[in-house]
Amino acid sequence: MANQDPVNPAHTLFDLFVQAQRCVDVKQHFAELCRQLTLNPKDFRNFYSKLKERLNYWKAKSLWTKLDKRASHSEYQQRKACIKNKCLVLGAGPCGLRTAIELSFLGAQVVVVEKRESFSRNNVLHLWPFSISDLRGLGAKTFHGKFCTGSLDHISIRQLQLILLKVALLLGVEVHTGVEFLGLNEPSGENGWMAKLKPETHPAATFQFDVLVSAGGGRFVPDGFKHKELRGKLAIGITANFINRKTAAEAQVPEISGVARIYNQKFFQQLLSETGIDLENIVYYKDDTHYFVMTAKKKSLLEKGVIKEDHSDAEQLLAPSNVDYKALHLYAHDAAQFSTGGNLPHLQFAQNHLGQPDVAMFDFTCMYRAENASLIRERRGKKLLTALVGDCLVEPFWPLGTGIARGFLASFDTAWMVRSWGLGVPHLKVLAERESVYQILSQTTPENTSKNYGSYTINPRTRYVTVNLSSIHTNQVRTLYLCNTDSASGIKELLAWCQKNTAGYNKVNVNDFSQSWRSGLALCALVHRFRPHLIDMSSLDESNAVYNNQTAFSILEKELGIPPVMSARDMASNSQIDNLSMVFYLTQIQEAFNVSAKAKASGSRHWLCCTKQAQRQAEQTLTVRTSRI
């Protein structure tokens, strides 16, 4: 009998790590591999190079080749562009992990916290060609051999998370599951920015960072960001996942990449007449599960008893108390069975993370989009760059692949911003460039992005056919820099200045940075105090708050170059007034008028020169005194 070489324990552990199909197993095998190779996973700066050196295994070499090729991009500067930066990423969904990987390539220390303990999302994502190319470049087929073989162009969210988690760990990213982010702890003493976590004793709670990336998903938008609702015609979506037993019979059933009523009216009419189910479209993908997503008509759902009572308000209509879930399960089951010609035998629902049938009904009508993609906070001299990626940045229609594609593009854009931050680019320029790129994200399609996928880097110019990195100017993003260089005393001084210069005006009583400004009269009074020829106070009516605010905003922007802090309508609604933004806005006005007054008194400078000087001072000092508002 021929001698056999002894099995290398590290090779066995690497194989187990690659093949692991649960988050907990991935982390366990990775920890065992590190112990076997005497590697410290927290040595993020040297971890990957030491891993390659110590794991001389032929199955790993092709993966190292791919990752080395990615790391060789000049933008990363040999993983030193952000060597001094520490980044906290919220959420281990596909976009959070993809962002973490890019930040690691830049040389930053990266920690990811994820509320869930497991990856259990069965829904299947359609992938744009560039997404497939990108994931192949990260070695996706090493971890998931069936990844986009043949004509396949989709993957389950769970599998995608597993692939990206494994890549992130190999690059030295620290990933903690079962950890919930509750908020920020501001700098104090020698400590910088830290996170409030649950459990509060978790080691990641002591991590000090200067970059925070939220990939929380859905409608989670951190403090300081605002989102707007994009609502269209009512569209009710249903997703359903059935167990895939991987039998020969199941393998023969063709997928449905997307059938819409407009293109196949006969199919949908037959579905309605035979089952009473009325759909606008349906998609069927085969992955870990048999995945169906469809858009159903409200009338059909009411007639089938899925929705109990009709309501004009979509939130009320789809409230859990107004849904018969047994009827919903039957509706989804019958739609799936009919659309596959009854060729999927024994359709049985897969389970979701709660152990319940994986069926969901939701409102496709309403999508959310953040008004800005980034901001900077400064407290006690410590700066924090904050960014959004994924669904909390732009919530798209996932079945078409726009979610993951734009999610990855936003991850690259965010990494490009962090690179600028790490290289010392002026802060307002960092924000202005990020917001410039953000302007085009919602319009990206496979057709208007570069087809040269191999040349894609984090540099936006390599991906977007037309992009202007300076379409947003620094003076337009000042309100995205939230600073408190002078804290409580500065707040009192600013308030006192506002009170002094609005005293004596009818129906103006300034005592805070919110309600006092709602009517717009206080802003108009400030303008009138310093430039009485620009505004007629006697013509203003307290009840016409939107007009008053718009009048003041227009004059201040035209005369001082200070863009509005918000819309006139939001300003008129006290609930929309953000104290931090108002302090920043009023500080700019104070700077401009004070410099102007000094120059006018000396007669040495022209008014317009003075306003430009005030703008420069505001940009340089950013004296926003806000932390105790």
Side-chain angles (χ1 to χ4, degrees):
M1 186 175 180
N3 292 330
Q4 293 184 343
D5 293 332
V7 176
N8 186 318
H11 295 179
T12 301
L13 288 170
F14 180 77
D15 287 339
L16 290 172
F17 169 75
V18 166
Q19 296 161 11
Q21 290 298 298
R22 296 192 307 160
C23 177
V24 62
D25 294 332
V26 171
K27 294 176 67 179
Q28 179 185 332
H29 295 317
F30 176 73
E32 292 171 350
L33 178 63
C34 290
R35 285 193 291 270
Q36 181 65 37
L37 297 173
T38 62
L39 288 170
N40 178 9
K42 292 196 174 185
D43 180 18
F44 69 95
R45 191 157 288 136
N46 304 302
F47 179 80
Y48 175 63
S49 59
K50 288 183 178 179
L51 174 64
K52 288 195 302 176
E53 179 185 323
R54 298 181 189 180
L55 187 63
N56 186 22
Y57 182 29
W58 66 271
K59 287 188 178 181
K61 287 183 177 178
S62 63
L63 180 60
W64 305 152
T65 299
K66 290 182 178 297
L67 295 180
D68 286 345
K69 182 179 179 180
R70 180 78 190 188
S72 68
H73 290 175
S74 60
E75 288 81 358
Y76 303 132
Q77 297 189 359
Q78 298 180 327
R79 299 190 74 179
K80 294 180 181 178
C82 295
I83 201 167
K84 295 181 180 179
N85 299 108
K86 297 183 177 182
C87 309
L88 179 68
V89 178
L90 309 179
C95 296
L97 290 170
R98 191 65 191 84
T99 306
I101 289 168
E102 288 305 315
L103 297 177
S104 180
F105 277 130
L106 285 164
Q109 182 179 1
V110 187
V111 174
V112 178
V113 294
E114 165 60 47
K115 180 179 178 180
R116 294 186 180 184
E117 290 277 9
S118 62
F119 296 162
S120 56
R121 298 166 70 190
N122 293 315
N123 289 359
V124 178
L125 305 174
H126 173 74
L127 299 176
W128 288 6
F130 105 78
S131 306
I132 296 173
S133 174
D134 176 66
L135 290 165
R136 279 178 175 155
L138 293 176
K141 286 189 72 67
T142 300
F143 305 109
H144 186 52
K146 296 188 297 182
F147 175 75
C148 291
T149 53
S151 61
L152 292 182
D153 58 0
H154 50 264
I155 189 171
S156 71
I157 296 176
R158 190 182 72 84
Q159 280 293 349
L160 182 54
Q161 284 180 278
L162 288 171
I163 290 170
L164 295 173
L165 172 65
K166 293 170 186 178
V167 174
L169 291 173
L170 294 176
L171 292 173
V173 174
E174 203 174 312
V175 181
H176 300 285
T177 53
V179 180
E180 183 179 0
F181 175 79
L182 301 177
L184 288 168
N185 283 320
E186 294 189 356
S188 62
E190 296 298 316
N191 293 332
W193 290 94
M194 294 189 289
K196 298 176 187 175
L197 302 176
K198 183 181 179 181
E200 61 183 23
T201 57
H202 193 279
T206 62
F207 179 57
Q208 299 181 43
F209 47 89
D210 66 302
V211 175
L212 175 69
V213 178
S214 174
R219 300 175 186 181
F220 175 73
V221 181
D223 291 342
F225 290 92
K226 295 180 180 178
H227 66 262
K228 54 188 175 184
E229 183 181 87
L230 307 174
R231 182 169 290 277
K233 183 181 177 182
L234 179 66
I236 301 173
I238 297 175
T239 58
N241 285 278
F242 298 92
I243 295 173
N244 187 349
R245 297 177 177 83
K246 312 291 177 68
T247 64
E250 289 171 294
Q252 294 298 315
V253 181
E255 295 184 327
I256 304 171
S257 60
V259 175
R261 173 180 290 275
I262 191 172
Y263 298 116
N264 196 337
Q265 294 186 18
K266 181 180 178 181
F267 169 85
F268 288 99
Q269 189 58 47
Q270 188 176 357
L271 171 66
L272 175 61
S273 62
E274 293 188 20
T275 67
I277 294 172
D278 201 2
L279 302 179
E280 293 286 356
N281 51 57
I282 189 166
V283 174
Y284 161 51
Y285 287 144
K286 200 178 307 178
D287 204 272
D288 290 340
T289 61
H290 295 290
Y291 169 70
F292 293 83
V293 58
M294 62 200 81
T295 304
K297 291 191 176 183
K298 182 176 74 168
K299 182 180 178 183
S300 168
L301 293 168
L302 286 164
E303 290 176 350
K304 298 289 285 185
V306 176
I307 296 176
K308 298 175 184 177
E309 295 181 5
D310 193 5
H311 295 282
S312 58
D313 179 74
E315 192 171 335
Q316 282 185 287
L317 183 73
L318 300 181
S321 60
N322 198 41
V323 176
D324 184 326
Y325 286 94
K326 287 186 178 180
L328 173 62
H329 298 168
L330 184 62
Y331 191 98
H333 176 279
D334 290 351
Q337 190 171 53
F338 181 90
S339 63
T340 54
N343 292 318
L344 283 177
H346 313 299
L347 277 178
Q348 181 181 348
F349 287 110
Q351 292 188 335
N352 61 20
H353 66 286
L354 298 174
Q356 300 170 346
D358 196 350
V359 187
M361 183 167 63
F362 49 94
D363 181 14
F364 271 149
T365 310
C366 183
M367 299 295 177
Y368 288 86
R369 170 188 170 91
E371 292 187 359
N372 52 286
S374 60
L375 58 81
I376 295 172
R377 295 184 184 277
E378 183 176 343
R379 300 290 186 270
R380 298 174 178 86
K382 303 290 178 66
K383 301 176 182 65
L384 177 66
L385 176 65
T386 306
L388 305 180
V389 297
D391 281 4
C392 63
L393 178 64
V394 178
E395 191 178 47
F397 187 62
W398 280 85
L400 298 180
T402 53
I404 200 63
R406 291 175 182 165
F408 278 13
L409 289 171
S411 293
F412 302 155
D413 297 338
T414 298
W416 179 254
M417 176 183 66
V418 176
R419 177 185 183 272
S420 299
W421 177 256
L423 293 176
V425 173
H427 301 330
L428 289 182
K429 186 175 180 181
V430 170
L431 294 173
E433 188 170 279
R434 176 68 191 98
E435 299 307 316
S436 295
V437 177
Y438 179 44
Q439 299 301 305
I440 64 174
L441 184 65
S442 292
Q443 283 73 50
T444 53
T445 67
E447 288 70 38
N448 63 18
T449 48
S450 171
K451 302 300 185 294
N452 188 6
Y453 309 128
S455 68
Y456 276 26
T457 71
I458 59 174
N459 187 336
R461 295 185 182 91
T462 65
R463 295 174 277 113
Y464 303 113
V465 174
T466 56
V467 58
N468 180 0
L469 300 185
S470 57
S471 62
I472 301 292
H473 303 293
T474 55
N475 70 320
Q476 295 174 269
V477 296
R478 288 185 183 136
T479 55
L480 302 182
Y481 194 127
L482 310 177
C483 173
N484 73 328
T485 58
D486 199 14
S487 194
S489 62
I491 292 171
K492 290 180 180 179
E493 290 175 7
L494 178 63
L495 187 60
W497 180 86
C498 293
Q499 290 171 331
K500 175 185 175 182
N501 289 291
T502 57
Y505 285 92
N506 188 35
K507 296 185 179 179
V508 174
N509 181 24
V510 173
N511 52 40
D512 57 26
F513 293 105
S514 56
Q515 179 66 26
S516 300
W517 305 90
R518 190 183 67 79
S519 72
L521 292 180
L523 271 181
C524 290
L526 277 180
V527 174
H528 187 266
R529 175 72 70 186
F530 291 95
R531 291 290 173 266
H533 64 283
L534 294 177
I535 194 165
D536 179 10
M537 289 296 293
S538 64
S539 68
L540 302 179
D541 183 348
E542 182 184 23
S543 64
N544 199 350
V546 174
Y547 173 80
N548 300 339
N549 281 304
Q550 188 57 59
T551 298
F553 285 159
S554 298
I555 293 173
L556 290 166
E557 184 167 25
K558 180 180 178 181
E559 298 295 325
L560 304 182
I562 302 173
V565 66
M566 63 187 77
S567 73
R569 190 169 298 279
D570 282 348
M571 186 75 165
S573 170
N574 186 45
S575 62
Q576 296 295 322
I577 299 178
D578 175 60
N579 285 359
L580 297 175
S581 298
M582 277 304 297
V583 170
F584 185 83
Y585 188 60
L586 291 168
T587 299
Q588 294 178 81
I589 295 171
Q590 180 190 37
E591 289 281 348
F593 281 141
N594 281 352
V595 170
S596 171
K598 291 176 183 178
K600 188 175 181 181
S602 66
S604 61
R605 294 186 182 181
H606 190 272
W607 156 249
L608 289 177
C609 295
C610 299
T611 58
K612 290 180 180 179
Q613 179 186 346
Q615 291 176 44
R616 287 196 296 271
Q617 287 186 1
E619 184 170 325
Q620 290 168 358
T621 62
L622 290 166
T623 51
V624 185
R625 309 98 163 198
T626 57
S627 66
R628 294 188 177 89
I629 299 176

